[in-house]
Amino acid sequence: MSILSSSEAVTTAELAHAPFEPLLDTVRMVVVTDGAEPVWTLSEITGGLRILEVAAPGAAVEIRLSVPLGDATGYWHPKIGWNRTVVADWEGRSEVSLVDGLAAGCLYDYAGATLLTFAAADPVPEVALRYGVSEENDTHVVHLRLPASATPHRFLFVPRSPSVASALRVLRGWYETAMPAPMPVPEAARLPFYCTWYAFNQQIDAVQVERQAELAAEMGFGALILDDGWQRLGRGRGYAGVGDWTPDTDKFPDFAGHVARVRRDGLRYVAWVAPLLLGPRADCYETWAPFATAAARVPGAYVLDPRHPGVRAHVVAVCLRLVRDYGLDGLKADFLNEAMVYAGDGRGDVGVAVETLLTELRTALLAERPDVLLELRQPYVGPGMAAFGNMLRSDDCPADSTANRVRTIDTSLLAIGSAVHSDPLLWDTDAPVEAAARQLIGALHSVPQISVRLDALIPEQAAAVRFWLGQWRRLRPQLLDGTVEPGRPDSLYTLVRSAAEDVQVLSVHEERAVPLLPAAHRETVLINATAADRVVVDVRDEGAQMEIDVRGPDGRIVERTRMLLVPGLHSVPLPSMGLALLTKTP
């Protein structure tokens, strides 16, 4: 139907009327354009997944989805942040592209079952979304505004599923087979990382880094990230000096030698870079300023426009030089989403340009070092980025264990190929040991990064780091590769289940009765991230005789006992921030 208007109504009910048609389950749809009459088809593909194709050559397209409210409770999408309940349609807005989220969403009810699950089959182009409750129609709507395209727009739809995680697993399975091959994930990408940022900010030098690296290697880390502050003019919290990407020789007089010394400790070495930022104090500013006409959303810098071939060549050359000249194992590529300052200016799709840039960067880096490490950060962590990075990190959340848990799980719901990493963990090194353990538990379902001064840890905290990293390594098959059910997104994932190889891990973040199936698993690992000194479990199968090994937040043995878990409620003594290993016995 050709009634698309460029004007923005306050509510979706004020838009020109268009007749909806049944699409899937209770989802209805209408397609409107600003030109050619659209043609759409819905086909079933693997596992009950449906694919919608909408063709309207040369015309902008809007796909409008509508679902009866029913018992709708929350709406999840990749840029959800903290507003996880349903919102009004005059409030819900999002603009996405390859480096800024994904056109995807999942509406679910109070029981956690899904009412609508969709995602763009092509994650690259810019898409504007409008979503929320239509007060006039008692429905939840999603409107997707798409640019004109010579090829059909394609969207995936998952039939109703028992949970958000199960619905998104179906999408993830499709992306794993349909997307370009993921960037190789070296073993080092799946080991704990030490990061300098929160521990030192920009007040960093070779001596301090090497001291932390020595301790990190001994405590079970696999790699080190040298964050912002290593580069010339890397002082102060602004970015007016970025762009040259050469070491500060006062801090690192022999950068290549320093990197080699850290690597001899057994750690891989990754350095921070923001290759699209250009500061007016950089030596190269005059050369590149004509290609950086928009100010960044971070202080002091401008953004190189990736739609220029010369900019892409420059970025690739900078990154390749850093890896080659200094013996780096990889890069932490920051602020790529700043390219979105150019979105919608009519001069070309930013997502397509960044895809071209990252393809060229991937090719160059893998040719130089086949096991290169490349970290990407929320919001550019969608399935379309799997070909271009092998580590997907949570956005900044210093000392916030809840945000780390929520953001890493959000990312993992649609992550393919890459290892999902936490934001570096920060805590008060003079605080009780529980403060350190709480941060470590919050990152448990991802690859943990840590950023505290390891030589400043009190003994109990150092013991906690060793214990929880050791447990994480032992449980990595469950935590990284197992089937994860974290519950409703609006509940902030306060009970996270992950299982594989006959072992189940349950991390509990609020006081509640925890449903337990002890007969179904050889081992059950129960982690108490609440303030209570016990966890109440609700046995929902025939039960089992269990040997229980209880450890405190620093790993010390608190109790070893046997317990017969019969159907019903049981109180398992377990210290706050402690772990209990329940092993089924004959």
Side-chain angles (χ1 to χ4, degrees), residues 498-518:
S498 52
E501 300 176 4
D502 207 18
V503 175
Q504 178 178 224
V505 180
L506 298 172
S507 58
V508 186
H509 300 267
E510 68 174 4
E511 293 188 53
R512 59 184 295 174
V514 177
L516 193 66
L517 304 173

Side-chain angles (χ1 to χ4, degrees), residues 367-399:
E368 177 67 22
R369 187 179 288 275
D371 59 349
V372 70
L373 299 168
L374 190 59
E375 181 192 278
L376 308 174
R377 173 181 57 81
Q378 283 178 315
Y380 44 94
V381 294
M385 297 296 284
F388 309 122
N390 41 36
M391 301 181 293
L392 307 178
R393 182 177 65 82
S394 168
D395 203 358
D396 295 3
C397 51

Side-chain angles (χ1 to χ4, degrees), residues 273-298:
V273 65
L276 288 178
L277 296 189
L278 178 68
R281 294 175 59 200
D283 289 346
C284 67
Y285 177 75
E286 295 300 328
T287 300
W288 292 104
F291 305 98
T293 57
R297 290 166 290 189
V298 296

Side-chain angles (χ1 to χ4, degrees), residues 284-567:
C284 67
Y285 177 75
E286 295 300 328
T287 300
W288 292 104
F291 305 98
T293 57
R297 290 166 290 189
V298 296
Y302 294 86
V303 185
L304 291 165
D305 187 342
R307 294 173 297 185
H308 295 286
V311 166
R312 297 196 295 268
H314 165 71
V315 168
V316 171
V318 164
C319 294
L320 185 60
R321 170 177 58 80
L322 291 175
V323 171
R324 177 181 291 159
D325 289 0
Y326 302 113
L328 298 175
D329 292 291
L331 299 170
K332 172 181 178 175
D334 211 352
F335 296 120
L336 297 184
N337 54 313
E338 290 297 316
M340 288 298 288
V341 298
Y342 296 107
D345 65 2
R347 299 180 181 177
D349 191 292
V350 172
V352 173
V354 174
E355 181 185 42
T356 302
L357 164 62
L358 293 177
T359 300
E360 295 168 354
L361 179 61
R362 167 195 164 119
T363 300
L365 290 178
L366 288 177
E368 177 67 22
R369 187 179 288 275
D371 59 349
V372 70
L373 299 168
L374 190 59
E375 181 192 278
L376 308 174
R377 173 181 57 81
Q378 283 178 315
Y380 44 94
V381 294
M385 297 296 284
F388 309 122
N390 41 36
M391 301 181 293
L392 307 178
R393 182 177 65 82
S394 168
D395 203 358
D396 295 3
C397 51
D400 191 337
S401 63
T402 299
N404 241 335
R405 177 179 78 247
V406 170
R407 291 174 180 176
T408 51
I409 291 174
D410 279 345
T411 297
S412 68
L413 289 173
L414 281 177
I416 61 172
S418 309
V420 175
H421 282 228
S422 73
D423 187 51
L425 310 183
L426 167 67
W427 63 81
D428 182 351
T429 55
D430 292 324
V433 65
E434 287 82 4
R438 185 165 58 86
Q439 298 295 329
L440 290 156
I441 294 169
L444 202 61
H445 294 269
S446 62
V447 177
Q449 293 192 17
I450 294 178
S451 189
V452 293
R453 300 191 183 206
L454 300 177
D455 53 358
L457 296 177
I458 60 175
E460 293 83 1
Q461 289 188 5
V465 171
R466 291 186 177 90
F467 170 70
W468 286 103
L469 292 188
Q471 289 297 310
W472 181 87
R473 283 176 179 258
R474 184 179 78 83
L475 297 171
R476 191 173 67 167
Q478 290 74 35
L479 299 172
L480 294 192
D481 305 320
T483 299
V484 178
E485 279 292 343
R488 281 180 10 207
D490 63 305
S491 296
L492 303 183
Y493 310 133
T494 53
L495 174 59
V496 187
R497 302 171 174 272
S498 52
E501 300 176 4
D502 207 18
V503 175
Q504 178 178 224
V505 180
L506 298 172
S507 58
V508 186
H509 300 267
E510 68 174 4
E511 293 188 53
R512 59 184 295 174
V514 177
L516 193 66
L517 304 173
H521 303 278
R522 173 175 50 86
E523 289 184 3
T524 297
V525 180
L526 194 60
I527 297 165
N528 181 15
T530 77
D533 59 0
R534 51 79 180 122
V535 171
V536 175
V537 298
D538 181 7
V539 175
R540 295 186 177 180
D541 62 11
E542 65 270 29
Q545 180 77 33
M546 311 295 287
E547 289 186 353
I548 303 179
D549 183 352
V550 179
R551 294 179 180 264
D554 59 358
R556 286 183 295 181
I557 296 175
V558 174
E559 183 180 11
R560 282 179 173 155
T561 187
R562 283 176 172 249
M563 181 180 291
L564 178 60
L565 294 180
V566 298

